[in-house]
């Protein structure tokens, strides 16, 4: 595979602006939002009294532990003078899953609708070459923005209930309080406060409950999971680039490189905390998509790393001897997989690189049934993790067992293009090719992509 470029989750986001630099109309909207928040707090009112519509998406995280929460808030017309135009905002809150609020941004959808120079500049900023034009609805601009960020950052995005966003932001604020960090500027404080309200909408009250940890079927399954498109930047690549002073896939791993890389990465407590937080965030992200089994694999390995407190040498040793940690180190090196057919997705930009990467390694796994030949892995799937008393009930264990038995009867367990284990449309089962029934897909789009560019048109006719 070719070298990966390093792109932060929030690199292209607009810097958080102080109130003094905000245009008057944006300051006015911030004041309106602040009044709505204050009223909801003081009168104990549901947020739907102030916001007629609110929609939220959360991304997977990158190797910095950074992810985005993108939301659309449409203010209730009843709080304005009759006949006033709709007022809605799109917000982005970039968070480090182990640390602080990294960046925020607020956009007026009314600016995006405008056909003047301001509107054109805002649309170029928000959509790049994917500009959908003037006069669209707030929802259309919101979904276009999320789609653009997916392509630009290479991270996957999933629609989530408000309750999920509220917990993610709340947990982050608790970390910031412990670390004595503060929110900067009126815009940042207002955006964060939008996630501290109460909703009465049943669709937004769903809580994301993490599953009972369970071991992955085998190392190969974990390897393919770590190469799904949303994991393209979920890596140690930047850390190892700074340590080894070379690019991704420039070197072939040796036992010495593996030992030195693990020692460098895990001697630092900040990176240890980051890795644990990244695995937990990805478990939450998979649960949003009803991928309980994938979440349980990550939590199983995460739990095995937590032998003692984070500063204990036993924890460092457990992390160094963990299969996920070792696979993530190996991702930086050349696996010497040889030449295979590549699926080209230039229109998908950074996320497309993730699709190409997954297709490459999935193809190699299908052909060889093993990890890349140059990889060096001394760890295995964690053993003896166990479930402590109170982690689950006997009934929950029965459900897990029956779910596992049921999953064994399903012939096709992941999308041939991206590795997803559930439909991206409704979270249900994957669809199979009706002609050969030998491959499965998470969406119609990926089935078409595999047929046109992934070689399935030729393969299907031979089956």
């Amino acid at each position: 595979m070719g070298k990966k470029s390093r792109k932060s989750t929030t690199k292209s986001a607009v810097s958080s602006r102080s109130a003094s630099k905000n245009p008057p109309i944006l300051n006015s909207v911030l004041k309106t939002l602040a009044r709505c928040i204050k009223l909801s707090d003081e009168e104990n009112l549901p947020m739907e009294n102030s916001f007629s519509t609110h929609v939220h998406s959360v991304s997977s995280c990158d190797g910095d532990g950074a992810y985005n929460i993108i939301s659309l808030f449409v203010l209730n017309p009843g709080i304005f003078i009759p006949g006033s135009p709709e007022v809605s905002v799109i917000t982005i809150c970039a968070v480090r899953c182990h640390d602080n609020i990294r960046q925020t941004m607020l956009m007026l959808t009314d600016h995006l609708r405008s056909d003047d120079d301001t509107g054109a500049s805002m649309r170029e900023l928000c959509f790049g070459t994917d500009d959908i034009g003037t006069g669209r609805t707030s929802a259309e601009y919101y979904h276009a923005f999320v789609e653009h960020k997916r392509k630009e950052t290479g991270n996957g995005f999933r629609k989530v209930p408000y309750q999920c966003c509220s917990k993610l932001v709340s947990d982050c604020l608790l970390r910031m309080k412990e670390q004595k960090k503060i929110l900067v500027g009126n815009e940042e404080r207002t955006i964060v406060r939008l996630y501290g309200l109460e909703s009465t909408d049943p669709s937004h009250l769903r809580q994301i409950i993490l599953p009972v940890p369970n071991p992955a079927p085998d190392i190969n399954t974990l390897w393919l999971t770590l190469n799904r498109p949303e994991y393209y930047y979920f890596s140690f690549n930047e850390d190892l680039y700074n340590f080894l002073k070379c690019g991704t896939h420039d070197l072939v791993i040796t036992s010495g490189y593996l030992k030195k890389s693990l020692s460098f990465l895990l001697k630092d407590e900040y990176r240890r905390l980051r890795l644990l937080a990244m695995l937990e965030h990805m478990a939450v992200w998979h649960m949003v998509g009803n991928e309980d089994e994938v979440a349980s694999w990550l939590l199983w390995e995460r739990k095995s790393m937590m032998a003692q407190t984070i500063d204990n040498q036993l924890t460092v040793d457990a992390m160094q001897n963990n299969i996920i940690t070792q696979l993530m180190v190996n991702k930086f090196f050349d696996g010497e997989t040889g030449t295979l057919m590549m699926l080209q997705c230039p229109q998908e930009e950074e996320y497309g690189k993730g699709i190409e990467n997954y297709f490459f390694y999935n193809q190699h796994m299908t052909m060889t049934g093993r990890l890349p030949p140059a990889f060096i892995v001394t760890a295995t799937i964690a053993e003896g993790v166990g479930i402590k008393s109170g982690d689950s009930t006997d009934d929950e264990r029965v459900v897990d067992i029956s779910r596992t038995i049921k999953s064994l009867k399903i012939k096709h367990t992941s999308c041939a293009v991206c590795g997803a284990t559930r439909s991206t449309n409704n979270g249900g089962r994957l669809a199979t090719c009706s002609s050969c029934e030998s491959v499965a897909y998470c969406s119609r789009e990926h089935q078409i992509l595999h047929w046109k560019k992934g070689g399935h048109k030729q393969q299907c006719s031979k089956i």
Side-chain angles (χ1 to χ4, degrees):
M1 291 290 290
K3 297 179 184 178
K4 297 178 184 179
S5 61
R6 179 71 187 95
K7 181 169 286 191
S8 168
T9 299
T10 55
K11 180 177 180 181
S12 60
V14 175
S15 299
S16 184
R17 296 159 293 198
S18 64
S20 61
K21 295 181 181 179
N22 286 335
I25 188 170
L26 189 55
N27 280 330
S28 175
V29 172
L30 284 172
K31 290 178 182 178
T32 301
L33 291 173
R35 285 197 298 270
C36 291
I37 294 168
K38 184 178 180 181
L39 182 63
S40 296
D41 286 341
E42 292 179 347
E43 302 295 331
N44 197 27
L45 298 172
M47 63 184 300
E48 285 76 20
N49 274 37
S50 298
F51 303 101
S52 57
T53 302
H54 53 104
V55 187
H56 315 277
S57 299
V58 169
S59 77
S60 54
C61 69
D62 65 14
D64 288 333
Y67 66 91
N68 287 322
I69 301 173
I70 303 180
S71 299
L72 168 68
F73 294 94
V74 180
L75 278 80
N76 196 323
I79 66 177
F80 298 102
I81 298 173
S84 298
E86 176 190 274
V87 177
S88 59
V89 295
I90 296 172
T91 64
I92 180 169
C93 186
V95 182
R96 284 189 178 98
C97 59
H98 59 300
D99 199 356
N100 60 340
I101 302 288
R102 185 174 180 176
Q103 196 174 41
T104 60
M105 183 173 77
L106 182 146
M107 300 168 290
L108 279 168
T109 55
D110 196 45
H111 283 169
L112 299 174
R113 293 189 187 95
S114 175
D115 58 2
D116 58 15
D117 290 343
T118 299
S121 298
M122 284 297 295
R123 289 193 300 277
E124 182 180 3
L125 176 70
C126 295
F127 311 123
T129 58
D130 297 325
D131 186 358
I132 62 173
T134 63
R136 300 296 189 112
T137 66
S138 298
E140 287 175 321
Y141 284 123
Y142 170 76
H143 292 301
F145 182 65
V146 172
E147 179 67 6
H148 176 67
K149 295 304 292 183
R150 181 184 68 83
K151 292 180 179 180
E152 184 183 54
T153 65
N155 287 34
F157 278 86
R158 283 178 170 165
K159 183 179 177 180
V160 296
Y162 177 79
Q163 187 69 30
C164 177
C165 298
S166 180
K167 186 177 189 312
L168 290 172
V169 172
S170 176
D171 288 348
C172 180
L173 293 178
L174 288 175
R175 292 193 299 270
M176 292 177 68
K177 183 177 180 180
E178 291 174 359
Q179 299 164 14
K180 297 182 179 180
K181 296 182 178 180
I182 62 172
L183 297 172
V184 180
N186 184 39
E187 179 183 304
E188 186 166 283
R189 287 191 293 270
T190 301
I191 290 175
V192 169
R193 288 178 66 199
L194 284 169
Y195 297 103
L197 305 175
E198 295 292 331
S199 174
T200 56
D201 184 340
S203 67
H204 285 289
L205 297 180
R206 176 194 168 200
Q207 295 187 357
I208 307 301
I209 307 298
L210 292 177
V212 175
N214 275 308
D218 49 53
I219 293 175
N220 291 353
T221 302
L222 267 184
W223 168 242
L224 288 180
T225 298
L226 293 174
N227 279 286
R228 285 173 49 162
E230 64 269 20
Y231 284 85
Y232 189 62
Y233 288 113
F234 185 96
S235 67
F236 296 137
N237 288 359
E238 187 168 310
D239 297 311
L240 293 177
Y241 169 80
N242 293 328
F243 175 56
L244 297 171
K245 306 302 181 186
C246 65
T248 309
H249 301 156
D250 280 352
L251 299 174
V252 175
I253 196 168
T254 64
S255 296
Y257 278 138
L258 177 63
K259 184 176 180 180
K260 287 194 299 184
S261 297
L262 289 169
S263 177
F264 166 75
L265 290 166
L266 299 173
K267 69 181 180 181
D268 180 65
E269 183 175 313
Y270 181 86
R271 283 196 286 265
R272 295 198 296 274
L273 287 168
R274 183 182 67 189
L275 177 58
L276 293 175
M278 287 164 60
L279 291 173
E280 183 174 33
H281 178 78
M282 290 308 298
V284 171
W285 193 81
H286 285 297
M287 287 301 294
V288 171
N290 296 324
E291 295 185 299
D292 306 37
E293 67 283 12
V294 181
S296 72
W297 304 339
L298 300 181
L299 294 175
W300 178 269
E301 297 300 330
R302 180 181 184 272
K303 193 167 186 178
S304 76
M305 298 179 189
M306 302 166 69
Q308 295 290 333
T309 56
I310 195 66
D311 59 346
N312 192 293
Q313 184 59 41
L314 290 176
T315 299
V316 178
D317 294 342
M319 287 186 160
Q320 289 182 342
N321 294 314
N322 182 270
I323 185 60
I324 285 184
T325 312
Q326 292 192 9
L327 288 173
M328 288 177 67
V329 168
N330 274 273
K331 281 178 74 173
F332 180 77
F333 294 89
D334 182 3
E336 295 191 332
T337 50
T339 302
L340 297 172
M341 185 184 76
M342 290 294 295
L343 180 67
Q344 300 296 325
C345 304
Q347 72 281 2
E348 291 288 320
E349 300 176 27
E350 293 301 309
Y351 192 79
K353 294 178 182 178
I355 293 177
E356 294 165 7
N357 183 70
Y358 175 81
F359 186 81
F360 180 90
Y361 284 116
N362 187 40
Q363 186 183 185
H364 178 267
M365 183 68 70
T366 300
M367 295 173 62
T368 67
R370 55 163 292 177
L371 298 176
F375 277 15
I376 297 176
V377 173
T378 61
T380 61
I381 299 297
E383 297 180 355
V385 173
I387 304 299
K388 294 180 181 179
S389 176
D391 281 359
S392 68
T393 64
D394 289 339
D395 288 340
E396 287 174 328
R397 295 191 191 196
V398 170
V399 169
D400 281 340
I401 291 171
S402 64
R403 180 182 296 156
T404 302
I405 293 172
K406 184 177 180 181
S407 69
L408 292 175
K409 298 178 181 178
I410 302 173
K411 184 178 179 181
H412 313 293
T413 58
S414 62
C415 174
V417 173
C418 71
T421 61
R422 293 288 184 273
S423 166
T424 55
N425 296 322
N426 56 21
R429 286 190 179 184
L430 301 174
T432 58
C433 173
S434 59
S435 297
C436 66
E437 298 185 347
S438 65
V439 290
Y441 304 99
C442 67
S443 65
R444 177 67 175 165
E445 291 76 15
H446 280 186
Q447 184 174 11
I448 293 172
L449 182 63
H450 196 210
W451 181 263
K452 290 184 175 180
K453 298 184 178 181
H456 188 59
K457 184 176 181 180
Q458 291 74 28
Q459 296 166 353
C460 190
S461 62
K462 296 177 182 179
I463 299 175

